[in-house]
Amino acid sequence: MKLTQRTVRLTLTEPLRISRSTMTARDAVWFTIEHDGLRGHGEAVTSVFYGLDTPALQRLAARTGERLARFAGPETALHALRTGELTPAGTPAAVTAATEAALLDLVGRRTATAVHRFLGSPVPPRAATARTISLTSPGRAAAQARRLADAGFSVIKIKAGDPDHESDLDRVRAVRAAAPAARLLLDPNGAWTVGQARRLLPRYADLGIEAVEQPVAPGDPEALARLAARSPLPVIADEDAVTQEDARRLAGRVHGINVKLAKCGGVHAALRIAALIEGSGTDLMLGCLTASTLGIAPAVHIADRARWTDLDGHLLLAHDPWTGIGGHEGFVRATGRPGLGVRPREAAGAWSEAS
């Protein structure tokens, strides 16, 4: 087996502003694993929060390729990945997830089987995805919400964390007025203190917010759990729930855990977390980083396990180099196509449909 890599720039349609940063673009490194004339693809994206820049991803991809060359085929490599033999301890979760995605895609293509069938879902998953509105003016947020509702989106996630708390509340009121039937999620990205959260959550509950992600700064999961116990609306852990051990610590103590493949290590790691929290009173949310369709696709294949689905990273791009999971009308879906079921757009380069 041979792994090759390609780095591309993913530019957003408009800046995504959250409480701790503003993003206009990020790099993606595509992992392509070739065996017996077939190719499988996966994607890892750069992240300041997770400490992954482009040179680091490129170096880690090359190291993964060296280790992959020792295996006879993708099936044995996939087994080795799950047991920790392929990606050793200390490998960033995003690299493990991208490697797993490429192997699953390759195995699926070799056997003419869609990935979701490997993962226990005989029917292709389909889920309503949230669409994110960043920190912006109430008027602009209302216009965006109206367009999203008209396009078919039934779930809208609103970023919060403005130093002016009233500005956040005005943004939510504007979105609620513009899209009265939509389910609203709130994400301050850890911008509030515990005291601020206790004062603000009842006000957001009154505005009909369905759930709030990581309202307080990460690093003190006990404080998050205590806040959730007294919160008038569901609290979802995100930055405080990275590993399976984090999920074990918070199971039954928060209302949800936002699982992102790039932070937990791929679909099988995500499914282990889902099994761990099942029946505990803590529900699964599937989230993502801003990425192309290729990067989002693996999570779509397990979207039927989640109470909340937030897989809109590809919808934020000015140009998505891949296609195959939908989303523009409010729903992401897997297909019956082999592997991940995605394919490059013509503008992504001279890659054949068979690749």
Side-chain angles (χ1 to χ4, degrees), residues 178-220:
R183 299 163 54 199
L184 302 185
L185 306 175
L186 189 74
D187 187 7
N189 288 106
W192 301 337
T193 66
V194 171
Q196 290 170 338
R198 286 176 178 162
R199 291 192 298 272
L200 289 167
L201 289 178
R203 300 182 69 182
Y204 285 107
D206 289 343
L207 292 175
I209 290 292
E210 180 175 319
V212 58
E213 287 183 60
Q214 195 69 42
V216 296
D220 189 352

Side-chain angles (χ1 to χ4, degrees), residues 74-137:
E75 293 83 1
T76 55
L78 193 57
H79 176 75
L81 182 141
R82 294 173 192 163
T83 60
E85 299 171 56
L86 175 56
T87 51
T91 301
V95 173
T96 301
T99 306
E100 180 196 51
L103 288 169
L104 284 169
D105 192 32
L106 180 55
V107 171
R109 290 170 185 265
R110 277 165 58 86
T111 60
T113 305
V115 163
H116 64 84
R117 296 187 67 87
F118 293 143
L119 304 176
S121 296
V123 178
R126 175 181 182 271
T129 182
R131 186 68 158 79
T132 301
I133 293 179
S134 68
L135 292 178
T136 188
S137 68

Side-chain angles (χ1 to χ4, degrees), residues 185-320:
L185 306 175
L186 189 74
D187 187 7
N189 288 106
W192 301 337
T193 66
V194 171
Q196 290 170 338
R198 286 176 178 162
R199 291 192 298 272
L200 289 167
L201 289 178
R203 300 182 69 182
Y204 285 107
D206 289 343
L207 292 175
I209 290 292
E210 180 175 319
V212 58
E213 287 183 60
Q214 195 69 42
V216 296
D220 189 352
E222 293 300 315
L224 183 68
R226 288 193 297 270
L227 178 67
R230 301 174 57 184
S231 174
L233 52 82
V235 171
I236 301 169
D238 183 357
E239 289 89 345
D240 265 328
V242 176
T243 66
Q244 188 170 336
E245 187 53 41
D246 293 336
R248 190 186 312 278
R249 184 183 304 116
L250 288 169
R253 305 179 67 205
V254 294
H255 304 90
I257 288 179
N258 186 345
V259 172
K260 298 173 182 173
L261 304 191
K263 72 175 181 178
C264 75
V267 291
H268 283 91
L271 290 175
R272 287 195 294 270
I273 292 174
L276 174 67
I277 65 177
E278 186 175 6
S280 70
T282 297
D283 290 313
L284 180 69
M285 179 178 192
L286 274 177
C288 65
L289 303 181
T290 303
S292 77
T293 280
L294 175 60
I296 305 297
V300 175
H301 284 267
I302 58 171
D304 51 353
R305 270 77 161 190
R307 174 178 173 182
W308 300 284
T309 302
D310 180 24
L311 299 176
D312 70 336
H314 62 306
L315 303 178
L316 306 180
L317 302 180
H319 172 70
D320 183 355

